[in-house]
Amino acid sequence: MIVENNINLDHIDLAILRLMQDNSRISNVHMAKELEMAPSAVLERVKKLEQKQVIQQYTTRINPSAIGLKLLAFISIKASHSLGCTTTAIELAKIEEVQEVHIIAGEDCYLVKVRIADSASLMELMRNSFSKITTIVSIRTTIVLETVKEQQQLVIPENKKIS
Amino acid sequence: MIVENNINLDHIDLAILRLMQDNSRISNVHMAKELEMAPSAVLERVKKLEQKQVIQQYTTRINPSAIGLKLLAFISIKASHSLGCTTTAIELAKIEEVQEVHIIAGEDCYLVKVRIADSASLMELMRNSFSKITTIVSIRTTIVLETVKEQQQLVIPENKKIS
DNA sequence: GGTGAAACTACGCGGTA
DNA sequence: TACCGCGTAGTTTCACC
């Protein structure tokens, strides 16, 4: 829960991140060819990026509707002891269907992203999980009708150094 | 832009997805041990999941602030010719800093997630990109102060069949 | 779905600048 | 500190059962 000391990434590190972001299963040999380096040197850099927690996880993006998760919703939540108090947020984060919990500026305190099977399941989640969090004052649910774009990938800059 | 025909996933497929979602670089040999199968059988299933587009991508989660992306914002956008018209959404999706574009139920038409370096960059993005989309009527920006949870991973069900 | 073999890759180490 | 080359162990991938 601390860190972020002295992270210095050069353009090679950024190129590695760009390649791995697009395909985490790319081989070191393949990356080494692109970068005109030896595979072992690439591996060393990757290991360091993992250590420094620049790389957080290698994950697989799964089609949500293929596994029956057809509903996406954003929920704005207002809590009673609002400012600086993250306990409500932590309770929300414990719910496994909750993908994201953000503390936001503005009148609502939290913005939550939920992915779930259908509207009946959402109702159930509301009754069984959200309602148990006693600090919640009000809830406003926004249903997503269609997702036009959803990428986790970040725009990795080209420049040399980031502190 | 079609598909999703006859996707039938059994409990082994779901187990594979669960393992690969947590670590996309897991070896077939490792999965085979967990599932008590031969590595080649696992590989076959993985290839089929890729073909069926159940697996969409192998990606690497990168710490955004490590590459200088310290600002996250949600933007609610109202457009002029609202209902059923996705052209505005498509324009929004073209902006690379825009990670997500959702068409939502309710008074605002679109919900957009943007990740960018800082508030100055956001201003710049507004001026250079959003303002070019002439169908946009109004914009409401919500800045994220702190992210308590952000996982792409889905809750993969345990049951046998999903149509 | 399993087996076996060939090709490929990861990974650690010692050496270089 | 970063890169390279090599050797070994482990993995992917294929045709075939």
Side-chain angles (χ1 to χ4, degrees):
Chain A
M1 296 304 231
I2 322 101
V3 258
E4 221 180 307
N5 305 319
N6 308 328
I7 296 177
N8 251 24
L9 305 176
D10 64 12
H11 70 108
I12 300 176
D13 288 321
L14 295 174
I16 289 172
L17 292 175
R18 221 171 283 124
L19 289 168
M20 298 198 83
Q21 195 178 223
D22 287 342
N23 176 17
S24 58
R25 306 194 82 185
I26 189 172
S27 74
N28 291 329
V29 175
H30 193 315
M31 282 199 278
K33 277 174 193 159
E34 296 262 338
L35 303 170
E36 299 181 317
M37 292 171 71
S40 58
V42 175
L43 179 65
E44 259 178 41
R45 280 172 175 269
V46 171
K47 291 293 163 198
K48 273 180 197 157
L49 290 168
E50 290 172 2
Q51 272 180 7
K52 286 195 266 186
Q53 298 267 50
V54 176
I55 290 176
Q56 297 185 313
Q57 192 183 27
Y58 301 112
T59 188
T60 300
R61 214 152 59 80
I62 295 167
N63 183 344
S65 68
I67 57 169
L69 302 177
K70 312 220 175 192
L71 195 117
L72 178 63
F74 287 90
I75 305 178
S76 296
I77 291 173
K78 210 180 284 193
S80 53
H81 38 114
S82 47
L83 284 172
C85 177
T86 58
T87 52
T88 306
I90 291 166
E91 288 304 309
L92 288 166
K94 285 180 189 163
I95 303 170
E96 61 173 4
E97 290 86 356
V98 168
Q99 287 194 302
E100 302 182 16
V101 179
H102 305 283
I103 302 177
I104 61 176
E107 62 173 312
D108 287 300
C109 304
Y110 308 106
L111 182 62
V112 169
K113 183 178 179 179
V114 172
R115 201 182 288 274
I116 204 161
D118 49 36
S119 53
S121 310
L122 182 60
M123 280 298 288
E124 211 178 306
L125 188 74
M126 291 284 193
R127 264 199 299 272
N128 297 337
S129 301
F130 284 82
S131 68
K132 298 271 160 68
I133 303 172
T134 55
T135 48
I136 292 176
V137 172
S138 73
I139 289 182
R140 188 166 51 88
T141 303
T142 304
I143 303 286
V144 171
L145 301 176
E146 191 188 326
T147 295
V148 178
K149 181 180 188 178
E150 187 170 27
Q151 67 164 206
Q152 285 89 4
Q153 279 124 296
L154 310 175
V155 180
I156 299 177
E158 295 194 14
N159 44 321
K160 332 287 143 148
K161 294 216 174 171
I162 296 160
S163 63
Chain B
M1 293 309 228
I2 323 100
V3 260
E4 221 179 308
N5 305 321
N6 309 327
I7 296 178
N8 252 24
L9 306 175
D10 64 11
H11 69 107
I12 300 176
D13 289 322
L14 295 174
I16 289 173
L17 292 175
R18 221 172 281 122
L19 288 168
M20 299 198 81
Q21 195 178 221
D22 287 342
N23 176 18
S24 57
R25 306 194 84 186
I26 189 172
S27 74
N28 292 331
V29 175
H30 193 315
M31 283 198 278
K33 278 175 193 160
E34 297 261 339
L35 303 169
E36 297 179 321
M37 293 169 70
S40 59
V42 175
L43 179 65
E44 250 180 50
R45 280 172 176 269
V46 171
K47 292 290 166 201
K48 273 180 197 156
L49 290 168
E50 289 171 3
Q51 272 178 6
K52 286 194 266 185
Q53 297 269 47
V54 176
I55 290 176
Q56 296 185 316
Q57 191 183 28
Y58 302 113
T59 186
T60 300
R61 213 154 58 81
I62 295 166
N63 183 343
S65 68
I67 57 168
L69 302 177
K70 313 222 175 191
L71 195 118
L72 178 62
F74 287 89
I75 305 178
S76 296
I77 291 173
K78 209 179 286 192
S80 52
H81 38 118
S82 48
L83 286 171
C85 177
T86 57
T87 51
T88 306
I90 290 166
E91 288 303 310
L92 289 166
K94 285 182 188 163
I95 303 171
E96 62 174 4
E97 290 85 357
V98 169
Q99 288 195 301
E100 302 182 17
V101 178
H102 306 284
I103 301 177
I104 62 177
E107 62 173 311
D108 288 300
C109 305
Y110 308 106
L111 182 62
V112 169
K113 183 178 178 179
V114 172
R115 201 182 289 275
I116 204 162
D118 50 36
S119 53
S121 311
L122 182 60
M123 280 297 289
E124 210 177 307
L125 188 73
M126 292 284 193
R127 262 199 301 270
N128 297 337
S129 300
F130 285 81
S131 68
K132 299 270 159 67
I133 303 172
T134 53
T135 48
I136 292 177
V137 171
S138 72
I139 289 182
R140 188 166 50 88
T141 303
T142 304
I143 302 286
V144 172
L145 301 176
E146 191 187 327
T147 295
V148 178
K149 181 180 188 178
E150 186 169 28
Q151 66 163 210
Q152 286 90 4
Q153 279 123 297
L154 310 175
V155 180
I156 299 177
E158 295 195 13
N159 45 318
K160 332 286 142 155
K161 295 218 172 167
I162 295 162
S163 62

